[in-house]
């Protein structure tokens, strides 16, 4: 008989309000900015070039992905309403299926966060190269990528008060280049720039799945408010609203922005671009001043995303460590921020960045993105499965029966969507992602044994 569901579960109480003057709970505006800031980060600024080889069929993938992201946002909103604690997917998976499922959700989400930080830093360097050509020098490129990672880490260590302030500023500034290209680009749209619908070999459905796997990176962050629920004021009310509002706003900007880039930058140039939004601005207004300005704002945007992701990367292991499933050192929290989690995350992301650049890997951004696509789907699958479990087990205290039919449809759609993304990640990404997960199984074995010994000693 399985013990996954019968294991007694302790649902932690909502995190107590921070007392430190450097710590501050997030209201609805900042929670929404956190979601939008993490969704609209570096991904959108580089992804039009990453999916250009698939042709305009990738726009179809973007549409499908948007529907799936909205379904996920609604599911996270419902889950956060009933389980409003810091940890998000970890909390949901553990409440439904036990410690091991909760650990896998926290472990894979943590991997997603710090690998995403490495990918965002690569994207930021691409835009820095528009202003200061550094790609010819590998040491300069690596130094710039590391600087983009450590500056947000230092902002996090200063406290949640400063995290929120940076997030608001970065979210506002990032909309300038995005709206400029998304709306202004429609007036310069030329269908001749779109290129072929599906230039690559293979089926159209395969191309949609493959491009969606890359594009998922641009929607990572849907769960941001849920993961940081303990730092949100009135989380039962604000987490769900922030999640849906942030996702809808990001989706509108994404779809218009990608379409405009496709229509203003010639396809052959877009495939090789390292700063597609700068190229689109230059194509719209001529010269290079517009592209330079957009590059500056893009870097601010990516710094904002790194600021938010650095916080999230520390929240999941913090929640698991409180329950004895991660090393206890991850519970160290100062000024409202899990400091050890921040430091470990930025060190791991830095090492991964250096490795990918020094190994001479081509397409560093795309490789990192596909790995995070797979690892991100693990907590998504577990969270949506938890919602399905709550529905089928008749736990009315966790699921509103008045919304039973709607919640069931949304949960099944989000689960199927997440499973489809695993298939689209590709064999290499799934292979690397599974290796990461298996390392986590070993960590869980040590932590579970330690927890059992502690419980036996206490008894």
């Amino acid at each position: 008989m399985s013990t996954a569901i019968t294991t007694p579960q302790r649902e932690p109480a909502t995190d107590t309000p921070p007392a430190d003057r450097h710590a501050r709970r997030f209201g609805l505006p900042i929670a929404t900015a956190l979601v939008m800031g993490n969704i609209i980060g570096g991904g959108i600024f580089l992804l039009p070039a990453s999916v250009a080889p698939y042709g305009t069929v990738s726009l179809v993938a973007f549409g499908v992905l948007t529907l799936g992201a909205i379904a996920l946002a609604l599911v996270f909103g419902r889950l956060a309403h009933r389980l409003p604690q810091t940890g998000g997917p970890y909390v949901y998976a553990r409440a439904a299926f036990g410690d091991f499922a909760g650990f896998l959700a926290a472990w894979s989400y943590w991997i997603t966060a710090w690998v995403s930080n490495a990918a965002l830093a690569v994207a930021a360097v691409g835009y820095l190269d528009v202003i200061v050509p550094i790609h010819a020098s590998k040491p300069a490129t690596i130094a710039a990528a590391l600087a983009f990672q450590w500056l947000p880490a230092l902002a996090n260590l200063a406290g949640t008060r400063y995290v929120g302030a940076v997030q608001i500023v970065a979210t506002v500034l990032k909309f300038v280049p995005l709206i400029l290209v998304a709306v202004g680009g429609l007036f310069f749209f030329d269908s001749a720039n779109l290129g072929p619908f599906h230039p690559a070999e293979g089926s159209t459905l395969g191309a949609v799945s493959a491009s969606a796997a890359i594009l998922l990176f641009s929607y990572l962050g849907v769960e941001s408010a849920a993961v940081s629920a303990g730092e949100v004021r009135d989380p039962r009310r604000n987490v769900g609203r922030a999640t849906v509002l942030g996702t809808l706003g990001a989706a509108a900007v994404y779809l218009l922005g990608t379409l405009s880039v496709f229509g203003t930058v010639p396809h052959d140039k877009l495939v090789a671009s390292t700063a597609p939004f700068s190229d689109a601005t230059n194509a719209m207004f001529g010269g290079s001043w517009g592209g330079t300005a957009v590059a500056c704002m893009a870097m601010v945007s990516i710094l904002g995303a790194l600021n938010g992701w650095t916080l999230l990367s520390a929240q999941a292991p913090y929640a698991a460590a409180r329950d004895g499933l991660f090393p206890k050192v991850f519970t160290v929290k100062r000024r409202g921020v899990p400091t050890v989690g921040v430091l470990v995350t930025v060190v791991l992301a830095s090492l991964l960045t250096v490795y990918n650049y020094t190994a001479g890997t081509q397409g560093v951004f795309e490789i990192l993105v596909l790995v995070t696509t797979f690892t991100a789907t693990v907590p998504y699958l577990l969270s949506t499965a938890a919602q399905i479990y709550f529905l089928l087990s008749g736990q009315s205290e966790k699921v509103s029966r008045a919304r039973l039919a709607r919640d069931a449809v949304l949960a099944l759609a989000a689960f199927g969507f997440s499973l489809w993304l695993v298939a689209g990640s590709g064999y290499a990404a799934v292979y690397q992602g599974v290796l990461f997960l298996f390392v986590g199984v070993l960590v869980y074995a040590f932590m579970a044994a330690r927890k059992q010994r502690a419980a036996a000693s206490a008894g």
Side-chain angles (χ1 to χ4, degrees), residues 340-364:
V340 173
V342 169
L343 289 172
V344 172
T345 292
V346 72
V347 168
L348 288 173
S350 297
L351 291 174
L352 181 61
T353 301
V354 172
Y355 169 77
N356 277 282
Y357 275 122
T358 56
T361 305
Q362 296 297 316
V364 174

Side-chain angles (χ1 to χ4, degrees), residues 4 7 15 26 80-81 89 99 119 123 165 170-171 174 185 189 208 255 299-300 323 371 399 435:
T7 302
D15 301 84
F26 302 146
H81 180 75
D99 284 352
T171 300
K174 78 179 55 180
F189 190 91
V208 171
L255 291 173
M299 286 189 292
V300 172
D323 297 322
V371 171
V399 179
L435 290 179

Side-chain angles (χ1 to χ4, degrees), residues 45-438:
F45 287 106
L46 196 57
L47 283 173
S50 299
V51 298
Y54 295 101
T56 52
V57 70
S58 57
L59 293 175
V60 177
F62 228 140
V64 175
L65 194 65
T66 298
L67 294 177
I70 292 173
L72 273 174
L74 291 169
V75 169
F76 276 118
R78 295 305 305 154
L79 286 167
H81 180 75
R82 298 301 177 186
L83 295 168
Q85 293 90 35
T86 293
Y90 160 75
V91 174
Y92 315 144
R94 182 171 180 263
F97 307 122
D99 284 352
F100 184 60
F103 173 84
L104 281 182
W107 179 262
S108 55
Y109 190 81
W110 184 50
I111 292 171
T112 299
W114 61 263
V115 175
S116 293
N117 281 2
L120 286 170
V122 172
V125 169
Y127 278 92
L128 177 62
D129 192 60
V130 173
I131 304 169
V132 182
I134 60 172
H135 273 164
S137 170
K138 186 172 291 186
T141 301
I142 293 173
L146 294 179
F148 277 115
Q149 291 172 8
W150 280 90
L151 286 174
L154 293 176
N156 270 264
L157 293 174
T160 53
R161 175 180 183 179
Y162 302 99
V163 173
V166 171
Q167 206 62 38
I168 286 289
V169 172
T171 300
V172 171
L173 288 178
K174 78 179 55 180
F175 274 98
V176 176
L178 287 173
I179 293 177
L180 174 68
V181 174
V183 178
L186 298 178
F187 294 96
F188 297 87
F189 190 91
D190 185 352
S191 59
N193 292 326
L194 293 176
F197 180 71
H198 175 36
E201 296 180 359
S203 67
T204 301
L205 181 59
V208 171
S209 296
S211 55
I214 294 177
L215 289 167
L216 173 65
F217 183 79
S218 62
Y219 274 113
L220 293 183
V222 167
E223 70 294 329
S224 300
V227 173
S228 296
E231 280 65 56
V232 177
R233 286 197 300 269
D234 192 7
R236 295 181 187 277
R237 176 184 177 88
N238 287 332
V239 168
R241 290 186 173 189
T243 300
V244 174
L245 289 174
T247 303
L248 288 174
V253 174
Y254 271 175
L255 291 173
L256 281 177
T258 304
L259 180 63
S260 294
V261 170
F262 271 52
T264 53
V265 181
H267 182 261
D268 57 344
K269 183 178 180 180
L270 182 59
V271 170
S273 175
T274 61
F277 273 75
S278 289
D279 291 337
T281 306
N282 289 336
M284 290 161 55
F285 302 110
S288 60
W289 67 268
T292 300
V294 168
C296 291
M297 288 181 279
M299 286 189 292
V300 172
S301 172
I302 295 171
L303 280 171
L306 281 164
N307 178 64
W309 271 108
T310 299
L311 175 63
L312 294 187
S313 66
Q315 297 287 26
Y318 164 76
R322 280 189 320 183
D323 297 322
L325 300 180
F326 256 58
K328 189 176 180 180
V329 68
F330 281 93
T331 62
V332 175
K333 200 171 187 180
R334 293 188 178 90
R335 298 179 174 182
V337 175
T339 52
V340 173
V342 169
L343 289 172
V344 172
T345 292
V346 72
V347 168
L348 288 173
S350 297
L351 291 174
L352 181 61
T353 301
V354 172
Y355 169 77
N356 277 282
Y357 275 122
T358 56
T361 305
Q362 296 297 316
V364 174
F365 181 80
E366 288 78 6
I367 292 171
L368 294 175
V369 162
L370 286 173
V371 171
T372 61
T373 296
F374 172 76
T375 56
T377 56
V378 175
Y380 289 173
L381 283 168
L382 288 171
S383 295
T384 53
Q387 175 73 335
I388 294 170
Y389 166 73
F390 293 146
L391 288 166
L392 296 180
S393 62
Q395 297 189 30
S396 57
E397 74 279 6
K398 293 185 175 65
V399 179
S400 170
R401 290 192 174 278
R403 303 181 180 182
L404 181 62
R406 190 204 70 176
D407 287 352
V409 170
L410 285 173
L412 288 171
F415 185 87
F417 167 72
S418 300
L419 201 59
W420 172 57
L421 289 171
V422 173
S425 299
Y427 293 109
V430 173
Y431 169 74
Q432 295 176 59
V434 168
L435 290 179
F436 277 125
L437 288 181
F438 282 175

